[in-house]
Amino acid sequence: FATFTGLNHHAQPVLFGCALLFSESETSLVWLLQTWLQAMSAQKPVSITTDTNHLIQMAIGHVLPETRHRLCKWSILRDTKEKLTHVCQTHPTFEIEFMKCINEAETLEEFESQWKSLLERYYLRDNEYLQSIYIARHHWVPVFMRETFFGDFLSDEDNDAKNTFFDGFVNASTSIQLLIKYYEKAITIWHEKEFNADLDSNNTTPILKTPSPMEKQAADLYTRKVFMKFQQELVETLANPATKIGDSGAITTYHVAKFGEEHKAHTVRFNTLELTANCSCLMFEFSGIICRHVLSVFRTKNVLTLPSQYILKRWTRN
């Protein structure tokens, strides 16, 4: 039972289609992707996340060569726990350090050096499984994926719920007869959740935390869930001042860092003429929500409302 899910404007899972497959051969998977693409009016997705399966990878390479393919990080982390049970039991700190290396590295260099020291510290340089996931790092380690839009802005716990459209409704032992019944039940329940989130976004006013006109503007435009994330970034600008480090024509460059964490500064380039800014953290490119670093520069430059190019229609109430 293969499902295609995406995210609606409340970052809830939404179903784009599903299929029953007799076999998981490459031919079947190619057929599946081609048929789904046809049903989606040949609109190819910017990005797609799948389980780790080399046949799926080959089929995506064949049917969606331009789509950025990501492997599900959670299934890789689950497999790592299983394959390295002995290491986790002998060294309780290994798992914490491994997760930190994967989730918190902010630059490619930082990831590479942390990975290297992790393997050395726990004598795992010759571990074949770790070698295989390292070779595939560009397809699942977050720091390598940030320049592509995936729509992820939730915490990892919430994010895990993205693939779970049918969780709690359907499992491997569900019969075909029951599948139809539970399929319809899942769709009804998710439709209700979307309807309720729409009601909440349209009929209630969120509590504002700053006097900023930009916060008011975002509260009026975004759905509630997205606004809460934007608000969090806006409030964080108070602890992340922008320091000007260079000028070149219309482009001014800033370093933005949290007090006391100057070594972790992000670089923001601001174009005075076009009122555009890009940040080395790439949060906007990855999630479609503007980061605290750019917002901090906007505050310094008296940009009081969000420029239209930073309001993604997909995250708005409309």
Side-chain angles (χ1 to χ4, degrees), residues 21-302:
L21 294 181
F22 177 67
S23 77
E24 278 192 64
S25 65
E26 194 189 345
T27 325
S28 287
L29 294 168
V30 166
W31 170 87
L32 170 71
L33 288 167
Q34 285 172 338
T35 312
W36 174 68
L37 204 52
Q38 214 177 328
M40 297 297 283
S41 313
Q43 278 277 58
K44 293 182 176 177
V46 172
S47 56
I48 191 165
T49 306
T50 70
D51 278 340
T52 45
N53 173 322
H54 76 284
L55 292 177
I56 294 178
Q57 271 180 282
M58 283 158 75
I60 286 173
H62 181 75
V63 182
L64 301 169
E66 292 95 46
T67 298
R68 182 79 159 99
H69 180 204
R70 173 171 72 168
L71 301 172
C72 173
K73 182 175 77 175
W74 290 106
S75 55
I76 292 178
L77 296 177
R78 191 190 54 226
D79 292 348
T80 305
K81 255 185 184 172
E82 278 173 26
K83 299 248 193 317
L84 300 178
T85 312
H86 60 292
V87 182
C88 296
Q89 283 171 352
T90 324
H91 307 284
T93 50
F94 171 75
E95 195 185 335
I96 298 163
E97 289 187 37
F98 180 76
M99 296 295 267
K100 195 174 176 220
C101 169
I102 302 308
N103 293 325
E104 292 178 27
E106 291 192 353
T107 63
L108 305 185
E109 297 74 27
E110 198 182 328
F111 167 77
E112 296 291 353
S113 79
Q114 284 187 10
W115 181 270
K116 194 174 168 215
S117 70
L118 194 70
L119 298 195
E120 283 170 2
R121 212 164 33 256
Y122 295 100
Y123 306 103
L124 292 167
R125 260 194 303 205
D126 299 326
N127 185 286
E128 280 181 19
Y129 172 74
L130 287 176
Q131 281 171 3
S132 72
I133 63 171
Y134 175 75
I135 289 167
R137 64 195 179 282
H138 296 91
H139 291 288
W140 67 278
V141 176
V143 73
F144 289 95
M145 319 294 297
R146 296 199 71 82
E147 76 291 348
T148 304
F149 182 79
F150 279 94
D152 286 3
F153 66 85
L154 304 167
S155 70
D156 285 335
E157 292 73 28
D158 291 337
N159 233 338
D160 213 10
K162 255 197 349 204
N163 312 326
T164 57
F165 194 89
F166 289 108
D167 260 26
F169 298 100
V170 173
N171 60 37
S173 61
T174 307
S175 67
I176 291 282
Q177 291 89 330
L178 283 175
L179 174 65
I180 306 299
K181 183 183 160 188
Y182 290 140
Y183 165 90
E184 290 182 341
K185 192 177 174 186
I187 284 188
T188 306
I189 283 175
W190 280 112
H191 278 175
E192 279 173 12
K193 286 185 178 180
E194 178 169 344
F195 179 73
N196 289 334
D198 276 339
L199 276 182
D200 188 40
S201 291
N202 295 330
N203 299 326
T204 63
T205 315
I207 294 165
L208 303 184
K209 293 183 177 176
T210 73
S212 157
M214 196 183 279
E215 188 184 12
K216 172 83 176 77
Q217 175 197 14
D220 293 339
L221 287 170
Y222 286 140
T223 58
R224 181 58 41 86
K225 189 93 172 243
V226 178
F227 170 71
M228 300 305 270
K229 177 61 183 169
F230 171 83
Q231 186 182 53
Q232 193 186 333
E233 293 301 310
L234 187 67
V235 168
E236 280 293 334
T237 61
L238 300 171
N240 287 268
T243 311
K244 184 171 161 181
I245 57 162
D247 251 334
S248 171
I251 309 288
T252 312
T253 308
Y254 292 87
H255 266 171
V256 182
K258 204 169 187 161
F259 289 113
E261 293 186 8
E262 283 71 17
H263 61 291
K264 281 187 164 185
H266 282 283
T267 306
V268 176
R269 289 184 175 79
F270 178 76
N271 185 317
T272 320
L273 301 176
E274 295 168 14
L275 285 190
T276 56
N278 54 28
C279 179
S280 59
C281 82
L282 298 171
M283 178 172 149
F284 181 74
E285 288 75 1
F286 184 71
S287 68
I289 294 175
I290 201 160
C291 65
R292 58 195 66 178
H293 315 110
V294 168
L295 289 172
S296 184
V297 169
F298 281 173
R299 214 180 65 209
T300 305
K301 299 296 282 184
N302 279 331

